[in-house]
Amino acid sequence: MSDGRLPVRRRWVGWTIGVLLALLVIALGWVTVRGIGAVNDLQQVAEESSHLKTAIAAADITGAEPIAERIAHHAQSAHDLTSDPIWHAFGVVPWIGPNFRAVSEVAEIADDVAQKALTPMLDVAEEFDLSGLGFSGGTIDLEPFAAIEAPLGEASAALTAAQLQAQHIDEDATVGPLADAVREMRTTVTQAANAVGALHGAAVLLPTMLGGEGPRNYVLAMQNNAELRSSGGIIGSSALLHAENGKITLQQQASTPDFPALDTPLPVSDSTVALFEDRPGRFMQNITSIPDFSEAGPTIAARWEGRFGGTVDGVIAVDTVVAANLMKATGDLSFGSFTATPDTIVSILLSEIYATIPDPRVQDEVFAQAASALFGAALSGGEPKALIGALSESADEHRIRIWSAHEDEQKVLAASTLGGTIPDDSADATYVGVLVNDSTGGKMDYYTRASISTAIGTCNGEPTTQLRVTWTNDAPADAATTLPEYVTANGWYGVPAGSVRTLIALYGPEGATPSHVDRDGEEDGVQTTVLDGRAVVQHEVLLAPGESTTITIEFQGTGAGERLTQVLHTPMIDTPKTTRENLTCAS
């Protein structure tokens, strides 16, 4: 007979389940309360950050300090609330875990930025007008830069680390509102990292590069995006800038006809020859086909010195969109028969000028007038803060590239976005890229468009990084008869008028090799080479008006697969839409 009690084993199981359920309820309550507190803290960080930005922009450092203290308090509180063992335990639970991890990582990033970047930035702001970078009346005061370099370096390092951590948060695995918040935070941190990194680079480089220790001479190469080259466009015009004690003056201007083709080409790298033969070594306008500006820069300098003599201390390459960005600070410009606004300058310089002025020599004169007018307005009439913002925006879009003949300066430049080099891959992040070079011989790239996508995963059991580019000729159907011959090239180089012939090169992660290559699903003839340890595959495509083509390459091997993958590409008039897709193996 039974005494009505459960067996000891069953009672033990019941007690255990009861205790576990109680602990789970307590844990849920714990993380719920802490989660609400952390979210409130992070909302306060976002709100106070907006106030801080306003205060710094107004140079109100006294008002900024208490705001920074409140940001630090709320950021640390959010980090503390989301870093205990119970919270981390929920971070590994299927489905809901990514949300817990995302909140915890956002809080950690906010805390790191507040503790390691805000304080040194405010210390710098007390001593130096960051918004104007010491710029006044066409001259930059170089003296304060030595004092601000170290704290800017500290802040830049903290923001760069925060940027990398933010990029690794998988927002696609989180709920909608949290995903939006992660994206907004990532954008904010990236903008801050780029801006402060540029400021730190300026503090390191400007004192010597702007002639603080002796006069300097720089070639300014202006690239025309209507005829694309790897770093933006052909060199349509150039100028010599002189820098001395922080003051910059325009010394001389030149155009492409001033640099006739060389019988004996300048030496260029094997990878450049593999992609473009020896044309970059022969023709001034083709030097910017060279993918690495640390090679292109000295080649441009050699051409200038060979033609005009003297010593070139560095080369600065900019594209036409930089002019539009700068004009937001300088206002409208008049040159030749044109009056340009920030919204019309690109269409005037890259399209309308060819329809209005058929003589290329007169076109060159108008381009020179435009460059001179913009340069003069920027140095004498631009509001410093707006000018710095325009240059920063252009640098973020890789539209400014700088090479220095001085080894210590070049080392700093090469490690920055201004250096125009391909960054090294890291253990958990890699770069892939798209290089676009026109071979039509006209100015048809005003009508071209691109879109780029990446996908990472596994194909046939191998880690895979897929890079896909769609290239479109958006010229009007009657382009052959309605566009100027100088724009279409009128068949001069074997391309039917209105069509576009383009070299499109795709490169993959370091150490990976192409395992699948197709164009519109079919095999196609390609050129291949290796660029800084990266496999490069180049197609030559010919598109009539309205046509598109899609190139797909899968890279496999060391460096491919599940890593943070960032895309670099030739700067174009319209920045290509770049997306991350789910991997569907083309192979």
CSV table of all heavy atoms in Angstrom, one decimal, residues 444 447 473-492 495-500 543-546:
chain,number,residue,atom,x,y,z
A,444,MET,N,31.7,59.2,-72.1
A,444,MET,CA,30.4,58.6,-71.9
A,444,MET,C,30.1,58.1,-70.5
A,444,MET,O,29.0,57.7,-70.2
A,444,MET,CB,30.4,57.4,-72.9
A,444,MET,CG,30.2,57.7,-74.3
A,444,MET,SD,28.7,58.6,-74.7
A,444,MET,CE,27.5,57.3,-74.3
A,447,TYR,N,27.1,58.9,-68.3
A,447,TYR,CA,25.8,58.2,-68.4
A,447,TYR,C,25.9,56.8,-67.9
A,447,TYR,O,24.9,56.0,-68.1
A,447,TYR,CB,25.4,58.1,-69.9
A,447,TYR,CG,25.3,59.5,-70.5
A,447,TYR,CD1,26.3,60.1,-71.3
A,447,TYR,CD2,24.1,60.3,-70.4
A,447,TYR,CE1,26.2,61.3,-71.8
A,447,TYR,CE2,24.0,61.5,-70.9
A,447,TYR,CZ,25.1,62.1,-71.6
A,447,TYR,OH,25.0,63.3,-72.2
A,473,ASN,N,24.8,51.2,-69.2
A,473,ASN,CA,24.9,52.3,-70.0
A,473,ASN,C,23.5,53.0,-70.1
A,473,ASN,O,22.6,52.5,-70.8
A,473,ASN,CB,25.4,51.9,-71.4
A,473,ASN,CG,25.5,53.1,-72.4
A,473,ASN,OD1,25.2,54.3,-72.0
A,473,ASN,ND2,25.9,52.8,-73.6
A,474,ASP,N,23.4,54.1,-69.4
A,474,ASP,CA,22.1,54.8,-69.3
A,474,ASP,C,22.0,56.0,-70.4
A,474,ASP,O,21.1,56.8,-70.3
A,474,ASP,CB,21.9,55.4,-67.9
A,474,ASP,CG,21.1,54.5,-67.0
A,474,ASP,OD1,20.5,53.5,-67.6
A,474,ASP,OD2,21.1,54.7,-65.8
A,475,ALA,N,22.9,55.9,-71.4
A,475,ALA,CA,22.8,57.0,-72.4
A,475,ALA,C,21.5,56.9,-73.2
A,475,ALA,O,20.9,55.8,-73.3
A,475,ALA,CB,24.0,56.8,-73.4
A,476,PRO,N,21.0,58.0,-73.7
A,476,PRO,CA,19.8,58.0,-74.5
A,476,PRO,C,19.9,57.1,-75.7
A,476,PRO,O,21.0,56.9,-76.2
A,476,PRO,CB,19.5,59.4,-74.9
A,476,PRO,CG,20.9,60.1,-74.7
A,476,PRO,CD,21.6,59.4,-73.6
A,477,ALA,N,18.8,56.6,-76.2
A,477,ALA,CA,18.9,55.6,-77.3
A,477,ALA,C,19.5,56.3,-78.5
A,477,ALA,O,20.1,55.6,-79.4
A,477,ALA,CB,17.5,55.1,-77.6
A,478,ASP,N,19.3,57.6,-78.7
A,478,ASP,CA,19.8,58.3,-79.9
A,478,ASP,C,21.1,59.0,-79.6
A,478,ASP,O,21.5,60.0,-80.2
A,478,ASP,CB,18.8,59.3,-80.4
A,478,ASP,CG,18.4,60.3,-79.3
A,478,ASP,OD1,18.8,60.2,-78.2
A,478,ASP,OD2,17.6,61.2,-79.7
A,479,ALA,N,21.9,58.5,-78.6
A,479,ALA,CA,23.1,59.1,-78.2
A,479,ALA,C,24.1,59.3,-79.4
A,479,ALA,O,24.8,60.2,-79.4
A,479,ALA,CB,23.8,58.3,-77.1
A,480,ALA,N,24.1,58.3,-80.3
A,480,ALA,CA,25.0,58.4,-81.4
A,480,ALA,C,24.9,59.7,-82.2
A,480,ALA,O,25.8,60.2,-82.8
A,480,ALA,CB,24.8,57.2,-82.3
A,481,THR,N,23.7,60.2,-82.3
A,481,THR,CA,23.4,61.4,-83.1
A,481,THR,C,23.2,62.7,-82.3
A,481,THR,O,23.4,63.8,-82.8
A,481,THR,CB,22.2,61.2,-84.1
A,481,THR,OG1,21.1,60.8,-83.3
A,481,THR,CG2,22.5,60.1,-85.0
A,482,THR,N,22.7,62.5,-81.0
A,482,THR,CA,22.4,63.7,-80.2
A,482,THR,C,23.5,64.2,-79.3
A,482,THR,O,23.5,65.3,-78.9
A,482,THR,CB,21.2,63.4,-79.4
A,482,THR,OG1,21.4,62.3,-78.5
A,482,THR,CG2,20.0,63.1,-80.3
A,483,LEU,N,24.5,63.3,-79.0
A,483,LEU,CA,25.6,63.7,-78.2
A,483,LEU,C,26.8,64.2,-79.0
A,483,LEU,O,27.0,63.7,-80.1
A,483,LEU,CB,26.0,62.6,-77.3
A,483,LEU,CG,25.0,62.1,-76.2
A,483,LEU,CD1,25.6,60.9,-75.4
A,483,LEU,CD2,24.6,63.2,-75.3
A,484,PRO,N,27.6,65.1,-78.5
A,484,PRO,CA,28.7,65.6,-79.3
A,484,PRO,C,29.7,64.5,-79.6
A,484,PRO,O,29.8,63.5,-78.8
A,484,PRO,CB,29.3,66.6,-78.3
A,484,PRO,CG,28.2,67.0,-77.4
A,484,PRO,CD,27.4,65.8,-77.2
A,485,GLU,N,30.4,64.6,-80.7
A,485,GLU,CA,31.4,63.6,-81.1
A,485,GLU,C,32.5,63.4,-80.0
A,485,GLU,O,33.0,62.3,-79.8
A,485,GLU,CB,32.0,63.9,-82.4
A,485,GLU,CG,31.0,63.8,-83.6
A,485,GLU,CD,31.7,64.2,-84.9
A,485,GLU,OE1,32.9,64.5,-84.9
A,485,GLU,OE2,31.0,64.1,-86.0
A,486,TYR,N,32.8,64.5,-79.4
A,486,TYR,CA,33.9,64.5,-78.4
A,486,TYR,C,33.4,63.6,-77.2
A,486,TYR,O,34.3,63.0,-76.5
A,486,TYR,CB,34.2,65.9,-77.9
A,486,TYR,CG,35.5,66.0,-77.0
A,486,TYR,CD1,36.7,65.9,-77.6
A,486,TYR,CD2,35.4,66.1,-75.6
A,486,TYR,CE1,37.9,66.0,-76.8
A,486,TYR,CE2,36.5,66.1,-74.9
A,486,TYR,CZ,37.7,66.1,-75.5
A,486,TYR,OH,38.9,66.2,-74.7
A,487,VAL,N,32.1,63.5,-76.9
A,487,VAL,CA,31.6,62.7,-75.8
A,487,VAL,C,31.5,61.3,-76.2
A,487,VAL,O,31.9,60.4,-75.5
A,487,VAL,CB,30.2,63.2,-75.4
A,487,VAL,CG1,29.6,62.3,-74.4
A,487,VAL,CG2,30.3,64.6,-74.8
A,488,THR,N,31.0,61.0,-77.4
A,488,THR,CA,30.8,59.6,-77.8
A,488,THR,C,32.1,59.0,-78.4
A,488,THR,O,32.2,57.7,-78.5
A,488,THR,CB,29.8,59.5,-79.0
A,488,THR,OG1,30.2,60.1,-80.1
A,488,THR,CG2,28.4,60.1,-78.5
A,489,ALA,N,33.1,59.8,-78.7
A,489,ALA,CA,34.4,59.4,-79.4
A,489,ALA,C,34.1,59.0,-80.8
A,489,ALA,O,35.1,58.8,-81.6
A,489,ALA,CB,35.1,58.2,-78.7
A,490,ASN,N,32.9,58.9,-81.3
A,490,ASN,CA,32.5,58.8,-82.7
A,490,ASN,C,33.2,57.7,-83.4
A,490,ASN,O,33.6,57.8,-84.6
A,490,ASN,CB,32.8,60.1,-83.4
A,490,ASN,CG,32.0,60.2,-84.7
A,490,ASN,OD1,30.9,59.8,-84.8
A,490,ASN,ND2,32.7,60.9,-85.7
A,491,GLY,N,33.5,56.6,-82.7
A,491,GLY,CA,34.2,55.4,-83.3
A,491,GLY,C,35.6,55.6,-83.4
A,491,GLY,O,36.3,54.7,-84.1
A,492,TRP,N,36.3,56.6,-82.9
A,492,TRP,CA,37.7,56.8,-83.1
A,492,TRP,C,38.5,55.7,-82.6
A,492,TRP,O,39.6,55.4,-83.1
A,492,TRP,CB,38.1,58.1,-82.4
A,492,TRP,CG,37.4,59.4,-82.9
A,492,TRP,CD1,37.0,59.5,-84.2
A,492,TRP,CD2,37.1,60.5,-82.2
A,492,TRP,NE1,36.4,60.8,-84.3
A,492,TRP,CE2,36.5,61.4,-83.1
A,492,TRP,CE3,37.3,60.9,-80.9
A,492,TRP,CZ2,36.0,62.7,-82.8
A,492,TRP,CZ3,36.8,62.2,-80.5
A,492,TRP,CH2,36.2,63.1,-81.4
A,495,VAL,N,34.8,51.9,-81.0
A,495,VAL,CA,33.6,51.8,-80.3
A,495,VAL,C,32.5,52.5,-81.0
A,495,VAL,O,32.6,53.7,-81.2
A,495,VAL,CB,33.7,52.3,-78.8
A,495,VAL,CG1,32.4,52.1,-78.0
A,495,VAL,CG2,34.9,51.6,-78.1
A,496,PRO,N,31.4,51.8,-81.3
A,496,PRO,CA,30.3,52.5,-82.0
A,496,PRO,C,29.8,53.7,-81.2
A,496,PRO,O,29.7,53.7,-79.9
A,496,PRO,CB,29.2,51.5,-82.1
A,496,PRO,CG,29.9,50.2,-82.0
A,496,PRO,CD,31.1,50.4,-81.1
A,497,ALA,N,29.5,54.8,-81.8
A,497,ALA,CA,29.0,56.0,-81.1
A,497,ALA,C,27.8,55.7,-80.3
A,497,ALA,O,26.9,55.1,-80.8
A,497,ALA,CB,28.7,57.1,-82.1
A,498,GLY,N,27.8,56.2,-79.0
A,498,GLY,CA,26.7,55.9,-78.1
A,498,GLY,C,27.0,54.7,-77.2
A,498,GLY,O,26.4,54.6,-76.1
A,499,SER,N,27.8,53.8,-77.6
A,499,SER,CA,28.2,52.6,-76.8
A,499,SER,C,29.3,53.0,-75.8
A,499,SER,O,30.0,54.0,-76.0
A,499,SER,CB,28.6,51.5,-77.7
A,499,SER,OG,27.5,51.0,-78.5
A,500,VAL,N,29.4,52.1,-74.8
A,500,VAL,CA,30.5,52.3,-73.8
A,500,VAL,C,31.3,51.1,-73.7
A,500,VAL,O,30.7,50.0,-73.5
A,500,VAL,CB,29.9,52.7,-72.4
A,500,VAL,CG1,31.0,52.8,-71.4
A,500,VAL,CG2,29.1,54.0,-72.5
A,543,LEU,N,28.8,48.0,-74.1
A,543,LEU,CA,27.3,48.1,-73.9
A,543,LEU,C,26.8,49.2,-74.8
A,543,LEU,O,27.3,50.3,-74.8
A,543,LEU,CB,27.0,48.5,-72.5
A,543,LEU,CG,27.5,47.5,-71.4
A,543,LEU,CD1,27.1,48.0,-70.0
A,543,LEU,CD2,26.8,46.1,-71.6
A,544,ALA,N,25.7,48.9,-75.5
A,544,ALA,CA,25.0,49.9,-76.3
A,544,ALA,C,24.1,50.7,-75.3
A,544,ALA,O,23.8,50.2,-74.2
A,544,ALA,CB,24.1,49.2,-77.4
A,545,PRO,N,23.5,51.8,-75.7
A,545,PRO,CA,22.6,52.6,-74.8
A,545,PRO,C,21.5,51.7,-74.3
A,545,PRO,O,20.9,50.9,-75.0
A,545,PRO,CB,22.1,53.7,-75.7
A,545,PRO,CG,23.2,53.9,-76.7
A,545,PRO,CD,23.7,52.5,-77.0
A,546,GLY,N,21.3,51.7,-73.0
A,546,GLY,CA,20.2,51.0,-72.3
A,546,GLY,C,20.6,49.6,-71.9
A,546,GLY,O,19.8,48.9,-71.2
